[in-house]
Amino acid sequence: MGADGRPRICRVEKPVYGMAQAGRRWQRTLFPWLLHFGFTQCTSDPCVFVMEGASPGDKLILGCYVDDLFILHRNSGPESLYAKFTEALAS
């Protein structure tokens, strides 16, 4: 979501759909970015990442399946992990 509350669409500069290794190429870009941002990769499922904030209950759980991201969060205030994460995605 953008700052105006409207959904954003990302344009892929290089076509990767239809390639046999498209998912793997996406993971090689996304996973290091998530780890650098502060997520911890689950050992039981390498496509699930968790990040806990300083305040109690402020937690993000992110799942990646091929080219889809699933984000679970509880707090969505302006200082929450969710707000910081979506702001980082937009930049």
Side-chain angles (χ1 to χ4, degrees):
M1 294 283 184
D4 57 1
R6 295 177 26 193
R8 300 260 180 194
I9 297 174
C10 296
R11 181 176 177 201
V12 177
E13 293 182 13
K14 292 182 181 180
V16 293
Y17 292 100
M19 294 174 48
Q21 294 296 319
R24 182 69 186 128
R25 285 183 180 227
W26 170 239
Q27 287 179 351
R28 281 191 293 179
T29 301
L30 177 67
F31 287 14
W33 187 87
L34 291 171
L35 295 171
H36 179 74
F37 190 77
F39 279 91
T40 303
Q41 193 170 19
C42 288
T43 55
S44 59
D45 188 342
C47 293
V48 175
F49 295 82
V50 178
M51 186 164 81
E52 296 196 37
S55 62
D58 196 11
K59 178 189 274 191
L60 279 180
I61 302 172
L62 185 139
C64 177
Y65 180 75
V66 185
D67 62 348
D68 294 321
L69 294 179
F70 303 95
I71 303 171
L72 303 170
H73 65 95
R74 179 177 291 170
N75 297 341
S76 58
E79 295 298 318
S80 69
L81 286 176
Y82 178 75
K84 292 175 185 173
F85 178 68
T86 54
E87 183 180 318
L89 283 178
S91 60

